[in-house]
Amino acid sequence: MKKITFIVLFLLLIAGVNISFALEPLVQCGNPGQPACNLCSFLELVKILINFSIQITFAFAGLFITWGAFVIMTAGGAKERVSEGKKMMTTAIIGMVVILTAWMVLGTVIQIITGSPSKLPWTEIKCNY
């Protein structure tokens, strides 16, 4: 029963994360009336995919933090269940920190490669070559 519930929640989560992601092309290049594809277009695709993965990560982290809190609330004094719930919540928070750190590092690398200005918003790509 847990596996079925998890699969249903996973599918609902993926469907609801960002509907607009599926409604528009990932990269605006190569079509008639648009510029040719180049390194900047590829880096823009990388940025879009990273932002999508961050949305999924935060959605899952929220789910696991909620699930961990539910496990703690229904533990009924069982120390094993309380530690299991705390472990779920801690793992979700560590996962969020890891993905945000990777986002920051990749964003900085992309800015260096493209020569984008280091002003806010730092995630914006402006190719200067």
Side-chain angles (χ1 to χ4, degrees):
M1 185 65 180
K2 283 185 177 182
K3 288 182 182 181
I4 293 172
T5 305
F6 180 75
I7 290 171
V8 169
L9 286 174
F10 176 75
L11 292 175
L12 289 172
L13 185 68
I14 295 300
V17 168
N18 190 351
I19 299 299
S20 65
F21 185 77
L23 297 178
E24 57 187 66
L26 291 177
V27 180
Q28 304 289 331
C29 70
N31 295 326
Q34 295 177 342
C37 294
N38 54 19
L39 177 64
C40 192
S41 302
F42 174 72
L43 293 175
E44 185 69 29
L45 173 66
V46 169
K47 184 188 92 152
I48 290 169
L49 294 175
I50 289 170
N51 288 341
F52 183 68
S53 68
I54 287 172
Q55 290 176 351
I56 289 175
T57 300
F58 271 83
F60 271 114
L63 179 70
F64 279 105
I65 289 171
T66 304
W67 190 356
F70 179 76
V71 168
I72 291 171
M73 289 188 302
T74 59
K79 292 182 180 182
E80 300 84 26
R81 297 277 294 163
V82 171
S83 66
E84 179 185 340
K86 285 181 180 180
K87 184 178 178 185
M88 288 173 129
M89 294 169 72
T90 303
T91 303
I93 291 170
I94 289 172
M96 288 184 345
V97 168
V98 166
I99 196 78
L100 289 175
T101 303
W103 180 47
M104 185 177 69
V105 169
L106 282 173
T108 304
V109 168
I110 288 172
Q111 275 191 332
I112 291 170
I113 290 172
T114 60
S116 296
S118 59
K119 301 177 195 169
L120 294 175
W122 64 270
T123 59
E124 188 174 325
I125 297 175
K126 292 182 180 177
C127 291
N128 294 329
Y129 56 86

